[in-house]
Amino acid sequence: MDDKILRTTRELIDEVGYPALTVDQVAARAGVGKAAIYRRYTSKAEMAFAATMFEQQLPPLAGTGSLHGDLLELVRAFHVRMATPAARQLAPVLISEIAVNPGLDTRFQETFLAAEQALFADIIEQAVARGELAGTVDPAMAHLLLLGALASALYIINLPVDDAMVTDLVTAATAGITALADRHHSAADGAAEPHAE
Amino acid sequence: MDDKILRTTRELIDEVGYPALTVDQVAARAGVGKAAIYRRYTSKAEMAFAATMFEQQLPPLAGTGSLHGDLLELVRAFHVRMATPAARQLAPVLISEIAVNPGLDTRFQETFLAAEQALFADIIEQAVARGELAGTVDPAMAHLLLLGALASALYIINLPVDDAMVTDLVTAATAGITALADRHHSAADGAAEPHAE
């Protein structure tokens, strides 16, 4: 039933757009009760978010053998998903709902956000194993520098974001992650912290 | 009159909180007509945003003589302002209003965002003049890496943000800005781009 609800939601967003979408339409076309939908999703925005972003699997990532390459591959895949017209319409609504709905915030953190951060943790771990990073870096920080900055650009500042900008963001974040690894791991060795005040 | 409206808005947010604030209350206590308020601000969220964030001047920044130090000083000042309970309550509302109100979006971009980006442009220009950066870097990118990531942490992901995290963000962004300056300016000289795919 989950699948049917989400597929129908995607179809209706394509046909009528997110603003005109209603939970009633989804229930009617999917042949399920409205109550069944509201047991799964607290609002239209959450249902649409699940349908267009969270439940859509990322294409398998090949792995490129470098931190910069792996991050670029990952962020490009997210950019495609995050920049669709449906995502740009519903993300700001979801942001305002999460802010006033602690249950939704918890669900968002424990599922969507945790899954995203795990992808960064994997990439960082591989870079450490290759010797490209001096040690591990908090994946939440890598996530923030890349998808956090990208979400701000797309959903708060409403900038146009092209591939050159994604590439610059990844170049900057790669250098930033490398600097944090140097800083935290040389500090642990008792060496001077290069960026300490 | 602007000043009176904004001062009254700040007082009432402190007394009743943002959710309970109304434009009627502000009009009554400030002794101005509601129409006068709506000529200046399209909504309660925009009025509260102006009162608590935009119109509040940053403390004068001393300048520290280094890119990392200047960015840390600036981002710490913004963090204080952006992390207040009032700001955390109203930013998500404002985000959802900007997304559906092109006039408000334009105003936000031309005033608030332009002023923020100008602060980064100054800091970058000084770093180039000191020879700390190989050349200039788009201030919008520096803004995104720092205040964009910070806004995501505070308003989208709802992370707790402490000074250690602000410091790490600035360390990472400083390295990132330096890498972009190297990349774009060594590319201009015809040298190999260190991070090209």
Side-chain angles (χ1 to χ4, degrees):
Chain A
M1 182 185 291
D2 279 6
D3 230 40
K4 202 167 184 182
I5 293 170
L6 296 174
R7 205 172 52 239
T8 306
T9 302
R10 282 193 290 274
E11 282 171 17
L12 281 164
I13 289 175
D14 286 343
E15 288 172 28
V16 305
Y18 173 72
L21 177 76
T22 66
V23 172
D24 281 315
Q25 288 173 325
V26 174
R29 185 180 297 186
V32 303
K34 244 176 106 165
I37 294 182
Y38 280 116
R39 267 197 301 280
R40 287 168 175 77
Y41 309 106
T42 56
S43 68
K44 167 184 147 179
E46 191 187 354
M47 176 186 71
F49 177 76
T52 57
M53 298 182 72
F54 179 48
E55 302 285 342
Q56 296 280 72
Q57 296 298 309
L58 280 182
L61 300 175
T64 65
S66 79
L67 177 60
H68 181 265
D70 284 359
L71 291 174
L72 186 59
E73 189 183 37
L74 183 66
V75 177
R76 277 181 172 153
F78 270 104
H79 177 228
V80 168
R81 231 163 66 148
M82 291 167 68
T84 61
R88 293 186 86 137
Q89 279 174 352
L90 72 90
V93 180
L94 194 74
I95 289 166
S96 64
E97 286 190 9
I98 285 174
V100 295
N101 182 339
L104 181 55
D105 184 31
T106 302
R107 198 126 49 106
F108 178 77
Q109 301 241 10
E110 289 177 355
T111 57
F112 186 66
L113 191 62
E116 285 191 355
Q117 291 176 344
L119 296 169
F120 285 94
D122 271 357
I123 288 176
I124 288 169
E125 198 181 304
Q126 289 169 38
V128 173
R130 275 194 306 266
E132 238 193 304
L133 289 178
T136 196
V137 171
D138 183 0
M141 180 59 71
H143 176 268
L144 208 57
L145 283 166
L146 286 162
L147 300 191
L150 187 58
S152 270
L154 292 170
Y155 306 141
I156 303 183
I157 307 178
N158 300 309
L159 286 182
V161 176
D162 59 14
D163 191 63
M165 193 168 156
V166 169
T167 305
D168 273 359
L169 200 54
V170 171
T171 296
T174 304
I177 291 165
T178 304
L180 288 177
D182 286 346
R183 178 183 170 143
H184 290 299
H185 296 280
S186 68
D189 294 341
E193 299 197 14
H195 289 107
E197 292 306 277
Chain B
M1 181 184 292
D2 279 6
D3 232 39
K4 202 168 187 181
I5 293 170
L6 296 175
R7 207 172 49 238
T8 305
T9 302
R10 281 193 292 273
E11 284 170 16
L12 282 165
I13 289 176
D14 286 342
E15 290 172 28
V16 305
Y18 172 73
L21 177 76
T22 67
V23 173
D24 282 314
Q25 289 172 324
V26 175
R29 185 180 296 186
V32 303
K34 244 175 107 165
I37 294 181
Y38 280 117
R39 266 196 302 279
R40 288 169 174 76
Y41 310 106
T42 56
S43 69
K44 166 184 147 179
E46 190 188 353
M47 177 185 72
F49 176 74
T52 57
M53 297 181 72
F54 178 49
E55 302 285 342
Q56 297 280 72
Q57 295 298 308
L58 279 183
L61 301 176
T64 65
S66 80
L67 177 59
H68 181 265
D70 284 359
L71 291 174
L72 186 59
E73 189 182 35
L74 182 66
V75 176
R76 278 182 170 153
F78 270 104
H79 177 229
V80 169
R81 231 163 65 148
M82 291 167 69
T84 62
R88 292 186 88 136
Q89 279 174 352
L90 71 89
V93 180
L94 195 74
I95 290 166
S96 65
E97 286 190 9
I98 285 173
V100 294
N101 182 339
L104 181 55
D105 184 31
T106 303
R107 198 125 49 106
F108 178 78
Q109 301 241 9
E110 289 178 355
T111 58
F112 186 66
L113 190 62
E116 286 191 355
Q117 291 176 343
L119 296 170
F120 285 94
D122 271 357
I123 288 176
I124 289 168
E125 200 181 302
Q126 289 170 35
V128 173
R130 276 193 305 267
E132 239 192 305
L133 289 178
T136 196
V137 171
D138 184 359
M141 179 59 71
H143 177 269
L144 209 57
L145 283 167
L146 286 163
L147 300 191
L150 187 58
S152 270
L154 293 170
Y155 306 141
I156 302 182
I157 307 178
N158 299 309
L159 285 184
V161 177
D162 60 12
D163 191 65
M165 192 169 158
V166 169
T167 305
D168 273 0
L169 199 55
V170 171
T171 297
T174 303
I177 291 166
T178 305
L180 288 177
D182 286 346
R183 178 182 169 144
H184 289 300
H185 296 280
S186 68
D189 293 342
E193 298 195 16
H195 288 108
E197 293 306 277

